[in-house]
């Protein structure tokens, strides 16, 4: 669970909020070549990469690769909408997942967590937009 502490999305969490997030995290494994999630599918949670390498594709085109400590699925986790990208396992991958239904229960008990997470998502979106312009 120490890996969760390194995820920027949870960086502003209180000890209690972090403890609740760690309690609902589940571990999953994928083999090389497996589709972890598919663009357009319903998003069911957040993923944090513990081991391995992934490839992020949008519209069938590779956008970037992510490795240990990186995370994806935060937009679908927060808004319940469809996945914005396809994520493929390039090597065997071990992930921590935070299911949306468990996450929503935590938010109901800790509503300030939503504000903290939205601030981090906005920071990431601004950084992505800035990198597109340069």
């Amino acid at each position: 669970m120490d890996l969760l502490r390194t995820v920027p999305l949870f960086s502003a969490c209180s000890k209690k909020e972090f403890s609740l997030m760690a309690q609902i995290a589940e571990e999953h494994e994928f083999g090389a070549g497996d589709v972890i999630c598919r663009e357009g599918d319903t998003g069911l949670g957040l993923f944090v990469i513990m081991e391995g390498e992934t490839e992020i594709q949008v519209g069938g085109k590779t956008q970037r690769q992510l490795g240990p400590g990186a995370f994806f699925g935060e937009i679908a986790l927060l808004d319940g909408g469809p996945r914005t990208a396809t994520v493929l396992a390039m090597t065997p991958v071990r992930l921590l997942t935070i299911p949306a239904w468990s996450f929503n229960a935590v938010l109901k008990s800790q509503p300030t967590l939503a504000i903290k997470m939205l601030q981090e998502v906005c920071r990431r979106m601004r950084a992505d937009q800035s990198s597109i312009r340069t």
Side-chain angles (χ1 to χ4, degrees), residues 8 17 54 67 76 93 117 120-121 132:
E17 292 165 340
T54 64
V93 173
M117 294 179 77
E120 178 58 27
V121 168
I132 290 170

Side-chain angles (χ1 to χ4, degrees), residues 25-43:
E26 302 172 359
E27 190 174 319
H28 294 276
E29 294 183 10
F30 293 86
D34 287 352
V35 175
I36 298 169
C37 62
R38 192 174 307 281
E39 185 175 3
D41 285 356
T42 301

Side-chain angles (χ1 to χ4, degrees), residues 29-130:
E29 294 183 10
F30 293 86
D34 287 352
V35 175
I36 298 169
C37 62
R38 192 174 307 281
E39 185 175 3
D41 285 356
T42 301
L44 299 176
L46 171 81
F47 299 89
V48 180
I49 302 169
M50 297 172 63
E51 294 175 3
E53 298 293 326
T54 64
E55 181 176 276
I56 311 300
Q57 297 179 351
V58 176
K61 296 184 180 185
T62 300
Q63 299 297 311
R64 68 177 77 107
Q65 293 183 342
L66 299 176
F71 63 96
F72 55 92
E74 70 279 7
I75 294 171
L77 177 73
L78 292 169
D79 75 2
R83 295 284 182 201
T84 59
T86 295
V87 181
L88 302 170
M90 302 306 293
T91 65
V93 173
R94 197 163 57 109
L95 303 168
L96 282 179
T97 64
I98 296 179
W101 52 88
S102 299
F103 174 75
N104 289 334
V106 170
L107 281 187
K108 286 178 183 173
S109 72
Q110 304 294 314
T112 58
L113 178 59
I115 295 168
K116 294 171 186 176
M117 294 179 77
L118 286 171
Q119 289 171 334
E120 178 58 27
V121 168
C122 289
R123 186 199 64 72
R124 287 185 69 178
M125 289 175 68
R126 287 182 191 277
D128 284 348
Q129 287 177 346
S130 176

